[in-house]
Amino acid sequence: MNLIGGIEGGGTKFICAVGTGPDDIREEIRYPTTTPGESIGRAVAFFRKFDELRAVGIACFGPLDPNPKSATFGYVTTTPKPGWANTEFAGVVQRELNIPVGFDTDVNAAALAEYRWGAAKGLDSCLYLTVGTGIGGGAVVEGKLIHGMMHPEMGHIRIPHDLAVDPYPGACPYHGDCLEGLACGPAIEARWGQRAETLPPDHPAWGLEAHYIALGLIAYIVTLSPQRIILGGGVMSQMHLFPPIRAEVQRLMNGYIQSSQMMEGIDDYIVPPVLGNRAGVLGGIALGLDALNAS
Amino acid sequence: MNLIGGIEGGGTKFICAVGTGPDDIREEIRYPTTTPGESIGRAVAFFRKFDELRAVGIACFGPLDPNPKSATFGYVTTTPKPGWANTEFAGVVQRELNIPVGFDTDVNAAALAEYRWGAAKGLDSCLYLTVGTGIGGGAVVEGKLIHGMMHPEMGHIRIPHDLAVDPYPGACPYHGDCLEGLACGPAIEARWGQRAETLPPDHPAWGLEAHYIALGLIAYIVTLSPQRIILGGGVMSQMHLFPPIRAEVQRLMNGYIQSSQMMEGIDDYIVPPVLGNRAGVLGGIALGLDALNAS
């Protein structure tokens, strides 16, 4: 049996797992993210124990370089995280273990995992959006993750912001009131003076949140036309957000796209993740499988 | 030599051509769009003359069904154009000529033609946006056009609209002040009381237009991360729009995406079409080539 290693390299913790998919995880470890040398070194030491390991996939915080043709492929690039800017990651793992290594953003990897094993299984395309400390999106089109100039940074679209309704200026250090700046968890907390998870379901925070997320989804729908949209992340663990987001997407679209998904099937179109908080490390395994198949 | 037929089926005129690509067009006809039967019939009659014709590609106005797995594949669907709603197009041509037929939107086809033979030749991905009577976009990712639920309708993203600066409510019958509603040719004419092409280059109309188009490009860039953006259509024939659009994209992005394309290479990143007004019918030929290769 070919085993695959997955790394979810997050800003605060690392998760490493070995297996073949969500129903077959042989072993898993997690530890706090420290220096690149120590954090990557612990992953390599863990993977060395498995003789049958054939590939590794890395789902990493970004920005990073996912382009195999690039000189800096496999590097974390311009992150503000201390010690991690311009850090080689995939190449180190590849040289240490001498097996194929896949490398992509954590949210792209989660999109791939939900496409392969989760909420978009059996479809040709999907969008995965995480709404938490930040907002990020990944998309699969005809079975492949979207890349190009680099990787998507979907949280940073500009959306309408009515200052008379919501005077909060936005939390994004680059753009102020981009989608992430208006709708990420820290923006909710800053606007209302308490943590998002402590706000009751009937609090006006949630109607505003649904409106902003729906404005983002409109942009992604008309740009990508995904067959399903999966909303994950800490803020979206508030399941009561799903019905108002769906209703607001329909209201804003106003019948323009007359697909069955948009009209009568919206409850199956905008859905929660199936893999939950395991999408990241499983995404790593999915990236490793793809790296093995491409090698 | 395998010849390919291309149809650009527009709302006002049809263009049909036979050849193998932009440097080898054997014959071309154009005629006004009338009823579906007559318009499609003239195309079929034209193509019958070519014994070596091996496939046809149709670049058509939409909305339409481009999904080969769908029961209504090859149909124009919900168009308001009289007589054309729910019209079978690709299937009619396929049965009459008994060769493979490709079918997609005119703007997707133009994106494919620019990717294969034009401004994005040699890249893996591109975005083509047309700004004219309406605004539409097509995107190629790793050599394939984006499809999913249906096809992109990129003009209908919602963007910030400062009513104090621009009180014009927008021209879109579905969404009012979506990007198309604010920045299409008819919106410029309605806002300023004269046709866009009669406004001098120093008119304030153009700064506003560049701002709106840049807001749209920000959304597409962070969602798709295309390797190049091609701006075509009647409004973009005002070449003086390119420098302010590039500058506004950089200002709005504010250094967040530190790729060479965004930072120092923006003049080669946001560019005019190479194929010009031939992108549609050449896109039809490109779709026909793909249909032949897939058959």
Side-chain angles (χ1 to χ4, degrees), chain A residues 149-150 153 158 222 225 252, chain B residues 149 153 158 222 225 252:
Chain A
M149 180 168 63
M150 42 179 268
E153 286 283 355
R158 302 298 175 89
V222 300
S225 201
L252 289 166
Chain B
M149 180 168 64
E153 286 283 355
R158 302 299 176 87
V222 301
S225 201
L252 290 166

Side-chain angles (χ1 to χ4, degrees), chain B residues 130-184:
Chain B
T130 177
V131 185
T133 310
I135 295 181
V140 174
V141 174
E142 300 204 18
K144 286 184 153 183
L145 288 166
I146 286 187
H147 299 109
M149 180 168 64
M150 41 179 268
H151 49 73
E153 286 283 355
M154 296 192 198
H156 295 273
I157 59 169
R158 302 299 176 87
I159 57 173
H161 175 200
D162 185 344
L163 285 161
V165 172
D166 173 25
Y168 178 65
C172 176
Y174 289 89
H175 312 123
D177 59 356
C178 63
L179 174 62
E180 176 172 298
L182 289 173
C184 66

Side-chain angles (χ1 to χ4, degrees), chain A residues 256, chain B residues 60-65 75-80 105 150-151 153:
Chain A
Y256 183 71
Chain B
C60 189
F61 65 89
L64 52 76
D65 186 344
Y75 278 66
V76 178
T77 54
T78 54
T79 178
T105 62
M150 41 179 268
H151 49 73
E153 286 283 355

